[in-house]
């Protein structure tokens, strides 16, 4: 398969595709590609290489120009080395000390050269094939954000009742605190318009799993309300229990976001949307 050259735009593998263009912001590198996908990971084992390879294959088939930025959150299982030999024009490697998923994703996004910027988990739980479906959404309607939703009626998700109830309860809390009209803030795949990310990214502080929620809350506050939920397919790994530490950390970080939003100007001045 041929390589995509930076700035070459869209190819036409089957039929002409709508471009993923928008006005380039000043706070990110110059946009010379259609899409940047960040793959954060922490000790994912052998799944990482196959996930990245499949992401590259899927994105090639869409015909767009792209890059995949892999970001190690201090992995110690040798997974960094598993990416050796991949095409450096398509796969960029970033290795950081362990500091949390949020910090890893932000580091990758800050290097992004795409007109759309997004991320997908590196452990393979969210299949890279979904990237092609998300690109189709972008090409059709150019939303501010396309976010995966486990609670979308067309999603196919296998996980225990206890985990499902936890997810439902958390989203009810999110609705009450933030009036955020989405059914799932935490699914591990999202694509964001570049100009939205350029405004949101400098205001973000979360380093852990509340990164996704903070990003959506800030985007909405700044008037970016075209949020499209897309179905996901997740068929493995979910366990029946959620550790108390994970629950505590998520609730602590969620209320920290709420306090910043309610009692400070950390997230900028609210704009009508």
């Amino acid at each position: 398969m041929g390589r995509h050259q930076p700035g070459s735009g869209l190819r036409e593998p089957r039929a002409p595709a709508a471009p993923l263009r928008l006005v380039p912001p000043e706070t990110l590198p110059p946009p010379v590609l259609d899409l940047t996908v960040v793959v954060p990971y922490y000790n994912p084992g052998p799944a990482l290489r196959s996930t990245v390879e499949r992401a590259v294959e899927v994105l090639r088939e869409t015909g767009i120009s792209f890059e995949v930025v892999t970001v190690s959150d201090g992995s110690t299982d040798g997974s960094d080395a598993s990416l050796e030999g991949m095409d450096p024009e398509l796969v960029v490697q970033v290795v950081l000390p362990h500091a949390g998923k949020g910090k890893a994703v932000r580091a990758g996004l800050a290097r992004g050269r795409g007109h759309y910027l997004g991320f997908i988990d590196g452990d393979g739980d969210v299949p890279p094939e979904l990237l092609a479906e998300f690109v189709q959404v972008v090409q059709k309607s150019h939303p501010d954000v396309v976010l995966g939703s486990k609670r979308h009626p067309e999603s196919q998700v296998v996980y225990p009742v206890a985990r499902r109830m936890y997810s439902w309860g958390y989203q009810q809390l999110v609705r009450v605190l933030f009036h955020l009209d989405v059914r799932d803030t935490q699914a591990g795949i999202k694509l964001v318009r570049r100009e939205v990310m350029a405004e949101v990214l400098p205001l973000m502080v979360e380093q852990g799993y509340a990164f996704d929620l903070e990003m959506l809350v800030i985007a909405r506050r700044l008037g970016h309300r075209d949020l499209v939920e897309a179905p996901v397919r997740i068929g493995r790994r979910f366990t029946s229990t959620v550790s108390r530490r994970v629950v505590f950390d998520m609730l602590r970080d969620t209320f920290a976001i709420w306090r910043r939003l309610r009692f400070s100007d950390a997230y900028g001045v609210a704009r009508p949307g």
Side-chain angles (χ1 to χ4, degrees):
M1 286 183 283
R3 296 180 179 177
H4 292 263
Q5 298 299 321
S8 60
L10 296 172
R11 295 178 181 175
E12 298 179 4
R14 296 182 180 85
L20 287 72
R21 296 288 187 253
L22 73 152
V23 177
E26 297 180 355
T27 54
L28 295 171
V32 294
L33 301 169
D34 292 312
L35 177 65
T36 294
V37 175
V38 176
V39 181
Y41 63 92
Y42 176 69
N43 292 346
L48 177 64
R49 175 86 184 205
S50 61
T51 296
V52 175
E53 286 181 334
R54 185 58 184 145
V56 169
E57 181 180 354
V58 167
L59 291 172
R60 272 181 169 147
E61 290 173 355
T62 68
I64 66 172
S65 58
F66 68 91
E67 64 183 350
V68 176
V69 180
T70 65
V71 185
S72 170
D73 180 26
S75 288
T76 58
D77 64 348
S79 50
D80 300 340
S82 73
L83 298 175
E84 291 179 1
M86 299 200 73
D87 187 344
E89 292 186 15
L90 298 179
V91 180
V92 179
Q93 287 186 255
V94 178
V95 178
L96 302 176
H98 182 53
K101 174 188 173 181
K103 186 170 184 178
V105 175
R106 287 209 308 275
L109 293 172
R111 290 168 164 76
R113 299 177 297 155
H115 288 273
Y116 265 76
L117 305 160
F119 52 93
I120 185 171
D121 289 344
D123 54 14
D125 285 353
V126 178
E129 285 77 8
L130 291 175
L131 289 169
E133 298 171 23
F134 278 50
V135 166
Q136 288 177 357
V137 174
V138 166
Q139 291 172 329
K140 181 179 179 180
S141 57
H142 298 265
D144 293 327
V145 182
V146 186
L147 60 150
S149 173
K150 298 185 292 295
R151 300 183 60 80
H152 190 286
E154 296 179 18
S155 289
Q156 301 173 23
V157 181
V158 178
Y159 63 138
V161 173
R163 188 69 178 261
R164 191 180 298 269
M165 292 302 296
Y166 167 78
S167 176
W168 179 86
Y170 181 71
Q171 291 311 315
Q172 300 314 302
L173 176 65
V174 166
R175 282 175 181 262
V176 170
L177 293 180
F178 304 104
H179 306 289
L180 194 61
D181 191 22
V182 298
R183 288 165 290 193
D184 182 9
T185 61
Q186 300 307 119
I189 177 171
K190 292 175 178 67
L191 300 184
V192 184
R193 280 200 303 126
R194 185 182 185 84
E195 65 181 4
V196 175
M197 188 64 76
E199 288 191 271
V200 170
L201 202 60
L203 300 175
M204 297 187 66
V205 299
E206 288 297 325
Q207 298 189 12
Y209 289 103
F211 171 90
D212 305 62
L213 173 62
E214 185 181 42
M215 181 184 74
L216 296 173
V217 167
I218 298 174
R220 182 180 181 277
R221 180 173 178 81
L222 298 182
H224 305 295
R225 302 194 179 195
D226 186 7
L227 312 180
V228 176
E229 292 186 88
V232 297
R233 298 182 296 277
I234 302 176
R236 63 182 181 88
R237 183 174 174 251
F238 279 110
T239 60
S240 59
T241 61
V242 179
S243 72
R244 292 182 180 179
R245 177 59 183 270
V246 169
V247 172
F248 174 82
D249 288 349
M250 279 298 298
L251 292 176
R252 177 199 62 198
D253 295 344
T254 297
F255 280 102
I257 294 169
W258 177 77
R259 286 193 298 271
R260 290 186 209 108
L261 184 68
R262 188 74 180 271
F263 301 112
S264 77
D265 59 356
Y267 294 149
V269 177
R271 302 176 193 165

